[in-house]
Amino acid sequence: MRRAVLLLLVPCVMAAEPYEIPPEKKNHWAWKPVSAVSPPAVKEAAWVKSPIDRFVLAKLEAAGLKPAAPASREVLIRRVAFDLIGLPPTPREIDDFVNDTSPDAWAKVVDRLLASPHYGERWGRHWLDLARYADSNGYEYDEIRPDAWRYRDYVIDSFNADKPYTRFVREQLAGDELAPDDPAAVIATGFNLLGPDMTDSSDQVQRRQNTLTDMTDTTALAFLGLTLGCARCHDHKFEPFPQTDYYRLQAFFTPAKFRADVNIVPKNQRAALAEAAARHEATRKPVRAALDALEGPYRTKLRAAKLAKQSEEVREAHETPEGQRTPAQRERVAETIRFVSVSPAEVLKGMTDEEKQRHKELSDRLKAIEAAKPKVPVAMGLEDGKPEKTYLLERGEPANKGEEVRPGFPIVLTAEKPKIAPPWESTTGRRTALADWIADERNPLAARVMVNRLWHHHFGRGIVRTPSDFGVRGDAPTHPELLDWLAGEFVRGGWSLKRMHKTMLMSATYQQSTTASPDALKADPDNNLFSRMNRQRIEGEIVRDSLLAVSGRLNPKPGGPGVSVPGPAADKGARPATVTADKAEYTRRSVYLFARRNLRNPFLEAFDLPDSNLSCPQRERSTTAPQALALLNDADVIASAKALAAKLKDEPDPVAAVYRITLGRLPTAAEATVAREFLKDSPLSELCRALFNVNEFVYVD
């Protein structure tokens, strides 16, 4: 009995049992290489505008269905403008397209929108959802992340530059290893640290493990479409992922140092900045030394008294030089540092009045010197450290270390071992090996997952309806041959996202109307065959941006720190954010608004702003009363309605003008009559607000 009790107290160190992949899960379609497929033959070839259409039409013909009629030009340009840049087309842009009879009229519209700087703002937002982006840490104190915005700008710039997707992947996972002198590549590694973080945790070992867990889970979800996180505590219940797979993937990240202050000064500016920093340090050093000499005896005495109250193991850990500590000692120091730290108030309390006065003089002088310190731009990101052992954690607990594991890929995808060759001297090269494997054209998932994400946002749902779950429990593709053809085109096109957008948008499938035939509604009610275009509701950010755009209030300034507008996201919470002083910033695009993790913008939250604690592959689309109330009563809506009314005051037919600007079309005779009757008793701004609130304003046909 006594032996059994002792065994329960010993950390569980068990070797994992050999894992056999069940045959029914081994041959899952997503694990197989992307197949080379040719577009099928179809009967109604005249409808086809793109190879995509052959795949779609073949399924429709097999089901005895026909595609929907083409959408009108007014509908098409409105649809593609919201799709690509997240802003409505102007009346002039609509007229230009409607009146352009050239064969390449549609292609010119698509090319113009893809070249717009607003494209990156629109599609960067989709990626930020996946990357769980926020400007604060979350948890109880929700501390501000002053430099997180650099990652947001990196994403937007990458989309605008049409950076090859393989490079985009590699930079986010291993930019510091691949291009340490490129600030953008270093900023990109902030992807790994965007999840919530409890900086004041009493258990710093657990805190680090939480971050490793978050980056492992998100890497699998975002780049591979795998729910690998379910294998953290035990073998996956449904997918062929043993627990060892999880920690083998995590082992690629284990050596990384998590930094909130990575130096991102361009290489050609570093010498000048180093000289300025050296001059500043020469001024600062004697003042800091004088202050340390004054505080030193008191700080040493107080720390010794606190340390004496700790156990022998803790004292030994703290007294061992940092570079000589064992892993166990590092854990003890992290767990107990708060018990032996000495605060400035404690130091001052023991000083004489004369020493306190001297301390104040030195402190004031040091503050003035620090205020003149050269500004060094920094960012959140990773740096590689010494290789450390990675262990399988029983039940996912850091204290329950099982067998040691080495970096490796999910066994169901490949038996290949990682080729880890450090790209430069002071790095392990582990994350580079992972990034290279994910971005390899032979990887069966990377291209499929990304083209499916593009299809999802363009067509209202993915070919695989579960865009971050390509596993056995995820939905099977409705058009598997089309998915593989698109993935193959993506690779053949140099992994260009803009090229893939255009491939999809030039198809007759995309250009269908949303009107379904009775036969299609009966045989294909869920539109699994894409017998028509899905009607889509635009996201809250695009609702807000459209209000600003049609009223002429939109500030198109790109990039920079998040704009903090007055309201709960800035004023409330344990750590309030500083409200942006320049009010002209308040009308910038929503992607640039300060993104608080715990206190979200109320207007955007009403329209299903995602929870940034988790990777979000597709947003919810709820219909609730607060949405209508926000569109009627929000201060920004009222301001936009008034601004739009002021723009239209001299219009000979303000009713026609407001319909054209807000909805991209003229009113019907019945709508015009109702609107003019409404204007007899209400100001024009009230009509503008009413149109902002109609379904047509927030839905795209």
Side-chain angles (χ1 to χ4, degrees):
M1 179 68 180
R2 183 178 178 187
R3 175 185 167 90
V5 172
L6 287 173
L7 285 172
L8 288 173
L9 297 175
V10 175
C12 184
V13 182
M14 300 170 60
E17 296 180 7
Y19 185 84
E20 290 291 333
I21 300 174
E24 68 275 12
K25 296 179 180 180
K26 197 170 188 175
N27 296 317
H28 181 57
W29 66 268
W31 318 145
K32 297 176 181 178
V34 173
S35 57
V37 291
S38 299
V42 293
K43 298 174 185 175
E44 300 293 333
W47 181 75
V48 173
K49 294 183 178 182
S50 157
I52 288 172
D53 301 324
R54 291 186 175 275
F55 291 99
V56 173
L57 187 55
K59 290 252 184 184
L60 289 174
E61 289 178 343
L65 297 175
K66 293 184 177 182
S72 69
R73 286 203 162 198
E74 292 89 347
V75 167
L76 270 182
I77 191 171
R78 182 174 167 85
R79 177 188 296 171
V80 77
F82 279 118
D83 252 9
L84 289 182
I85 65 171
L87 294 171
T90 65
R92 181 174 179 177
E93 289 169 341
I94 295 172
D95 289 342
D96 287 347
F97 176 55
V98 169
N99 297 323
D100 188 347
T101 58
S102 62
D104 62 344
W106 176 244
K108 287 189 292 187
V109 169
V110 172
D111 288 340
R112 173 177 61 81
L113 294 171
L114 286 172
S116 167
H118 294 308
Y119 160 76
E121 294 168 338
R122 168 62 165 156
W123 280 82
R125 180 64 260 183
H126 292 319
W127 187 263
L128 294 175
D129 282 1
L130 280 172
R132 71 264 187 255
Y133 175 81
D135 291 302
S136 65
N137 284 332
Y139 289 106
E140 182 180 1
Y141 291 108
D142 205 20
E143 297 161 297
I144 308 305
R145 291 175 170 172
D147 300 294
W149 61 270
R150 297 188 192 277
Y151 174 81
R152 176 248 290 152
D153 283 2
Y154 159 81
V155 170
I156 292 172
D157 292 344
S158 295
F159 274 92
N160 278 334
D162 198 21
K163 185 175 289 182
Y165 181 65
T166 48
R167 181 178 166 192
F168 187 59
V169 170
R170 287 185 170 103
E171 286 179 344
Q172 291 179 85
L173 292 176
D176 60 309
E177 292 188 336
L178 294 166
D181 293 328
D182 180 359
V186 175
I187 290 168
T189 64
F191 166 85
N192 300 281
L193 303 178
L194 287 173
D197 184 19
M198 187 185 291
T199 55
D200 64 336
S201 171
S202 60
D203 188 343
Q204 291 296 307
V205 174
Q206 182 66 60
R207 177 194 170 198
R208 176 177 172 80
Q209 185 58 46
N210 289 345
T211 302
L212 284 169
T213 296
D214 177 70
M215 64 174 65
T216 306
D217 295 354
T218 308
T219 294
L221 288 166
F223 299 117
L224 298 170
L226 297 180
T227 59
L228 197 65
C230 298
R232 180 171 68 92
C233 300
H234 46 69
D235 292 348
H236 203 299
K237 296 295 185 184
F238 308 111
E239 306 291 348
F241 306 138
Q243 192 181 12
T244 48
D245 267 1
Y246 184 85
Y247 289 99
R248 277 153 34 95
L249 187 68
Q250 190 167 103
F252 287 105
F253 298 102
T254 304
K257 297 177 183 177
F258 310 153
R259 297 282 302 276
D261 58 350
V262 179
N263 187 322
I264 55 168
V265 177
K267 193 173 183 180
N268 61 354
Q269 299 175 19
R270 290 178 185 174
L273 192 59
E275 289 178 10
R279 291 193 297 270
H280 173 268
E281 180 61 17
T283 305
R284 188 196 73 88
K285 190 173 181 179
V287 181
R288 180 71 261 179
L291 201 55
D292 287 343
L294 184 60
E295 292 181 345
Y298 295 98
R299 192 173 293 281
T300 301
K301 183 179 178 181
L302 288 166
R303 185 176 183 278
K306 290 187 174 187
L307 198 57
K309 297 177 182 178
Q310 304 300 315
S311 68
E312 182 180 347
E313 292 82 0
V314 171
R315 291 198 302 273
E316 183 181 353
H318 281 275
E319 289 166 355
T320 301
E322 186 174 353
Q324 299 175 22
R325 289 171 184 159
T326 65
Q329 287 178 324
R330 288 199 295 273
E331 287 186 22
R332 289 193 185 97
V333 169
E335 291 168 352
T336 59
I337 188 70
R338 62 195 180 107
F339 298 120
V340 300
S341 296
V342 178
S343 69
E346 290 174 313
V347 172
L348 281 171
K349 189 176 180 181
M351 288 184 178
T352 65
D353 291 342
E354 184 178 347
E355 287 173 327
K356 288 178 181 177
Q357 179 60 33
R358 175 63 175 159
H359 188 277
K360 184 179 184 308
E361 291 171 359
L362 290 170
S363 296
D364 290 345
R365 196 186 310 170
L366 188 62
K367 285 179 185 177
I369 294 170
E370 292 290 7
K373 183 178 181 179
K375 302 296 182 185
V376 179
V378 297
M380 295 172 59
L382 300 184
E383 284 185 353
D384 221 33
K386 297 177 181 178
E388 291 192 14
K389 291 182 179 180
T390 303
Y391 297 93
L392 183 147
L393 303 181
E394 302 294 338
R395 297 181 295 280
E397 294 293 334
N400 295 338
K401 292 179 179 176
E403 66 172 305
E404 181 184 352
V405 296
R406 298 190 179 279
F409 311 125
I411 58 173
V412 75
L413 295 178
T414 179
E416 179 184 341
K417 292 186 178 180
K419 296 181 177 68
I420 300 175
W424 49 294
E425 191 174 311
S426 60
T427 177
T428 65
R430 287 191 184 184
R431 283 179 286 114
T432 297
L434 174 62
D436 286 345
W437 173 74
I438 290 176
D440 192 308
E441 64 181 57
R442 294 171 297 171
N443 188 310
L445 290 171
R448 280 176 174 146
V449 168
M450 194 57 192
V451 297
N452 188 67
R453 294 196 193 282
L454 299 188
W455 188 278
H456 163 80
H457 290 299
H458 282 312
F459 291 88
R461 72 154 178 85
I463 296 171
V464 177
R465 286 182 180 270
T466 49
S468 281
D469 186 359
F470 273 46
V472 175
R473 297 283 286 196
D475 283 3
T478 55
H479 296 68
E481 296 84 6
L482 173 57
L483 181 63
D484 274 13
W485 183 85
L486 288 169
E489 278 295 292
F490 192 30
V491 174
R492 288 187 290 273
W495 300 81
S496 165
L497 291 170
K498 287 189 177 182
R499 183 178 181 274
M500 185 50 56
H501 283 299
K502 189 171 182 179
T503 298
M504 294 179 182
L505 299 177
M506 295 303 294
S507 68
T509 305
Y510 180 82
Q511 296 173 50
Q512 294 179 99
S513 75
T514 56
T515 304
S517 68
D519 288 343
L521 282 176
K522 183 178 180 181
D524 185 24
D526 294 328
N527 201 20
N528 288 322
L529 301 178
F530 298 106
S531 58
R532 57 194 177 276
M533 189 62 176
N534 288 310
R535 196 169 187 238
Q536 296 193 63
R537 201 189 73 191
I538 55 181
E539 297 95 324
E541 293 94 331
I542 311 306
V543 174
R544 178 182 174 275
D545 294 350
S546 298
L547 288 166
L548 296 172
V550 299
S551 62
R553 300 173 63 228
L554 182 66
N555 177 352
K557 175 183 172 184
V563 178
S564 186
V565 299
D571 304 335
K572 307 297 182 185
R575 304 287 173 89
T578 302
V579 173
T580 301
D582 184 0
K583 293 183 179 180
E585 297 276 295
Y586 297 172
T587 55
R588 291 180 61 196
R589 289 205 69 169
S590 301
V591 72
Y592 298 119
L593 293 181
F594 184 85
R596 196 69 179 263
R597 204 178 293 273
N598 287 1
L599 293 164
R600 294 177 283 178
N601 181 289
F603 185 87
L604 302 182
E605 189 171 21
F607 288 94
D608 305 310
L609 187 69
D611 180 358
S612 56
N613 288 298
L614 302 168
S615 177
C616 175
Q618 54 186 337
R619 295 193 181 190
E620 297 295 328
R621 291 176 181 167
S622 66
T623 301
T624 63
Q627 293 165 354
L629 293 172
L631 284 168
L632 284 171
N633 302 311
D634 185 82
D636 259 351
V637 175
I638 295 171
S640 292
K642 289 179 177 178
L644 180 55
K647 280 176 57 177
L648 302 176
K649 65 179 180 180
D650 296 325
E651 287 283 338
D653 187 351
V655 170
V658 73
Y659 266 84
R660 285 267 287 159
I661 292 173
T662 57
L663 302 182
R665 62 175 179 82
L666 290 170
T668 64
E671 288 171 337
T673 299
V674 170
R676 291 189 180 103
E677 286 295 319
F678 182 81
L679 282 180
K680 289 180 181 178
D681 302 313
S682 306
L684 181 56
S685 60
E686 293 302 310
L687 176 61
C688 296
R689 286 173 67 192
L691 285 178
F692 290 159
N693 195 36
V694 299
N695 269 350
E696 194 173 343
F697 184 79
V698 295
Y699 280 90
V700 181
D701 278 334

